[in-house]
Amino acid sequence: DDLRVTDNHLRHQRHIDRYRQARLYAQGRVLDFGSGSGYGSAVLLISPSVEHVTGVESNPDTLRYAVRNYSSDCSTFVERVPAQQYDTLVCIEVLEHLPDLRDFQEAVASTAPTVIILTFPSVTTTHLNPHHVRDLSLADVQTLLPDYQLEVDTHVNDGECAFLVFR
């Protein structure tokens, strides 16, 4: 049990670290696609370059938690992607969970962000995590974003996670 608690704490901290890295590139109005419980959206708001964050979360219980704990004048949480323009779209550890990647492509098309920041496991995880429905590569992600150019391609958290910025 102690190892499980330590592992969960470490996983949570690494997720926060990915949001901390993302806030270096986020600007203006930000859409946090797959915001989960909302703490990552709050991390993005620490950046003086970020004006507002809209978190999108499809799980009703998780969405209620985010609204209750992280809504503010500068952050809102919704169930569906609003059809409006955003300066930045952030997608941290979400693509590997999506049964249909067209949901992500539709979010990009309907929000027309200037900057897209995303992360995904850079190692095979579908055999380790029952919530991961796919493993991804850089080529897979580039195929999803044909109108964007890759600007940053690095790895974080000891190489376990790809960190990409597209413009």
Side-chain angles (χ1 to χ4, degrees), residues 2-167:
D2 287 343
L3 285 176
R4 183 173 290 126
V5 169
T6 300
D7 186 51
N8 286 338
H9 175 75
L10 181 59
R11 190 175 306 122
H12 180 75
Q13 186 58 50
R14 287 182 169 187
H15 201 245
I16 291 171
D17 290 345
R18 292 171 190 140
Y19 271 99
R20 291 178 66 214
Q21 182 82 10
R23 78 175 181 221
L24 299 174
Y25 300 93
Q27 60 192 31
R29 294 173 29 82
V30 177
L31 182 75
D32 186 4
F33 183 77
S35 61
S37 63
Y39 64 82
S41 299
V43 170
L44 293 170
L45 278 172
I46 294 169
S47 171
S49 299
V50 172
E51 299 167 16
H52 188 276
V53 176
T54 300
V56 177
E57 177 52 49
S58 61
N59 180 294
D61 293 332
T62 306
L63 177 61
R64 277 191 292 279
Y65 181 89
V67 168
R68 188 171 52 252
N69 291 282
Y70 294 104
S71 287
S72 71
D73 291 342
C74 297
S75 62
T76 54
F77 295 90
V78 297
E79 186 176 1
R80 299 196 195 312
V81 175
Q84 58 188 23
Q85 186 168 6
Y86 287 85
D87 302 300
T88 306
L89 186 147
V90 174
C91 182
I92 305 293
E93 306 298 304
V94 174
L95 296 180
E96 64 273 14
H97 294 267
L98 295 178
D100 190 345
L101 291 174
R102 286 179 293 191
D103 293 340
F104 173 72
Q105 290 177 299
E106 289 170 8
V108 171
S110 69
T111 60
T114 304
V115 178
I116 299 173
I117 304 163
L118 59 89
T119 69
F120 60 91
S122 56
V123 296
T124 302
T125 60
T126 50
H127 67 292
L128 298 171
N129 188 327
H131 303 290
H132 290 188
V133 297
R134 73 183 75 254
D135 293 310
L136 295 155
S137 68
L138 174 58
D140 295 330
V141 174
Q142 287 177 305
T143 300
L144 295 173
L145 300 169
D147 298 329
Y148 290 84
Q149 296 298 313
L150 181 63
E151 183 176 283
V152 176
D153 175 9
T154 190
H155 287 79
V156 293
N157 299 128
D158 300 324
E160 74 179 26
C161 181
F163 181 92
L164 309 174
V165 178
F166 290 86
R167 288 192 193 269

